[in-house]
Amino acid sequence: MDRLAELNEEAARHGLRVRAVFAPEELDGVPALDSGQPARTLALIGNVGSSLWPAFAASPEHGDGERDALDRWSRRIGTMIAQRLGARALFPFGGPPHHPFQRWAMRGGDLFASPVGLLVHAEYGLWHAFRFALAFAESLGDPLGDPPVRGDERSPCAMCDARSCLHACPVGAFVEGEYRVAQCVEHLVAHPQGPCVTAGCLARHACPVGRAYRYVPAQAQLHMRAFVAKLARRDSS
Ligand code: B12
């Protein structure tokens, strides 16, 4: 089995997918492997919709009462797969500084910037995220076949005149090119039983693309609560 097929199989075992693969250049800022060798391939691994939920919900991290359950699960799974495949695992959390996952994702996959800052995919819409990346010393090739041709006309947002994502936030936290984090968080804290917390970000829900991939309520709530808790900790430290 080739290395990429092996990686796909390992990821799928945990409800994860290989979301992007590319050959890093110096400007991408991908760290070297522990051996000191430069990374010749970076693969981004993540969930599409609630694909990870059954595996995560059955894990020891879920429900152990400790904080950052999904990050801890991601660290365990990412580290384990990296060890098996001789790669270095890199994570989207743990910063600042943060690894530029969104920039990396746009280098290697079929993902585009959206007006609300999240990356949009033609099938999954805004309902996907990254759990870890794996840096390999060897070339793994391109899973998408021909290198993707970049251009805004391929983005689902290019054909969307309604821009409903920008109008759905109850406190107007999204303005094209800007995300007013404080406004968003104040609203979430003031309305812990409101739809943003119980169903997930309303801007995300307003996007007409990828509705079949909307997170199950338990996952949406986990993300929103973790996000508020993280920011509350940052403010009090
Ligand atoms: C810091 C951070 C936040 C901060 C806000 C940052 C900000 N002011 O915009 C907070 C904690 C508020 C946040 C919130 C959320 N985030 Co966030 N966040 C990050 C994180 C850890 C670092 C981003 C960064 O600074 N990168 C460093 C720079 C150098 O890298 P970059 O790739 O070039 O980053 C650019 C983009 O991130 C972009 N950007 C990020 N957010 C926004 C928002 C807008 C409106 C715009 C215009 C640009 C923009 O600006 C960066 C600088 O150019 C990334 C993970 C990561 N490591 O990338 C996740 C990440 C961007 N977040 C993500 C998600 C899903 C969310 C939430 C939806 C989580 C949730 N609740 O479910 C929310 C969104 C708000 C909501 N209402 O639900 C995903 C996005 C996946 C995707 N589809 O693109 C990421 C990639 C994490 C992941 N595990 O996949 N986030």
Side-chain angles (χ1 to χ4, degrees):
M1 196 193 306
D2 72 36
R3 306 274 285 151
L4 199 54
E6 214 179 326
L7 173 57
N8 269 309
E9 202 166 274
E10 289 278 351
R13 232 173 256 151
H14 308 282
L16 297 171
R17 308 274 167 82
V18 177
R19 301 303 323 288
V21 177
F22 69 99
E25 291 169 9
E26 202 163 332
L27 276 177
D28 292 314
V30 176
L33 276 79
D34 296 336
S35 61
Q37 289 169 287
R40 289 192 61 207
T41 302
L42 191 73
L44 267 60
I45 320 295
N47 58 286
V48 299
S50 286
S51 61
L52 61 66
W53 195 253
F56 171 69
S59 73
E61 289 84 0
H62 177 65
D64 69 3
E66 301 294 324
R67 64 195 197 190
D68 300 331
L70 189 55
D71 289 354
R72 289 184 291 114
W73 179 82
S74 303
R75 191 179 285 286
R76 179 168 63 80
I77 304 297
T79 306
M80 183 177 74
I81 298 180
Q83 276 167 359
R84 277 201 194 143
L85 301 183
R88 174 174 174 180
L90 303 164
F91 298 95
F93 47 83
H98 301 292
H99 291 303
F101 267 69
Q102 290 186 305
R103 201 152 26 94
W104 287 346
M106 285 194 280
R107 283 273 280 114
D110 37 8
L111 291 161
F112 304 89
S114 77
V116 291
L118 301 173
L119 300 183
V120 66
H121 182 272
E123 183 181 355
Y124 313 128
L126 302 174
W127 299 101
H128 60 98
F130 311 103
R131 308 277 57 115
F132 52 88
L134 296 177
F136 293 85
E138 74 266 36
S139 172
L140 258 57
D142 185 347
L144 303 172
D146 295 333
V149 182
R150 298 256 148 255
D152 273 357
E153 72 281 0
R154 293 203 312 142
S155 164
C157 302
M159 291 168 280
C160 175
D161 293 327
R163 307 246 151 193
S164 38
C165 58
L166 290 176
H167 309 302
C169 175
V171 290
F174 296 102
V175 180
E176 183 122 27
E178 194 195 338
Y179 170 31
R180 297 174 178 167
V181 179
Q183 256 164 263
C184 168
V185 174
E186 272 166 34
H187 180 75
L188 298 176
V189 171
H191 302 91
Q193 297 306 326
C196 305
V197 177
T198 56
C201 177
L202 299 188
R204 238 173 166 180
H205 276 285
C207 175
V209 185
R211 288 202 156 141
Y213 292 89
R214 287 194 263 201
Y215 290 166
V216 296
Q219 184 178 353
Q221 286 163 26
L222 176 112
H223 288 303
M224 298 310 283
R225 292 196 170 119
F227 156 49
V228 173
K230 242 181 218 175
L231 289 171
R233 284 205 299 273
R234 202 191 295 164
D235 286 347
S236 64
S237 59

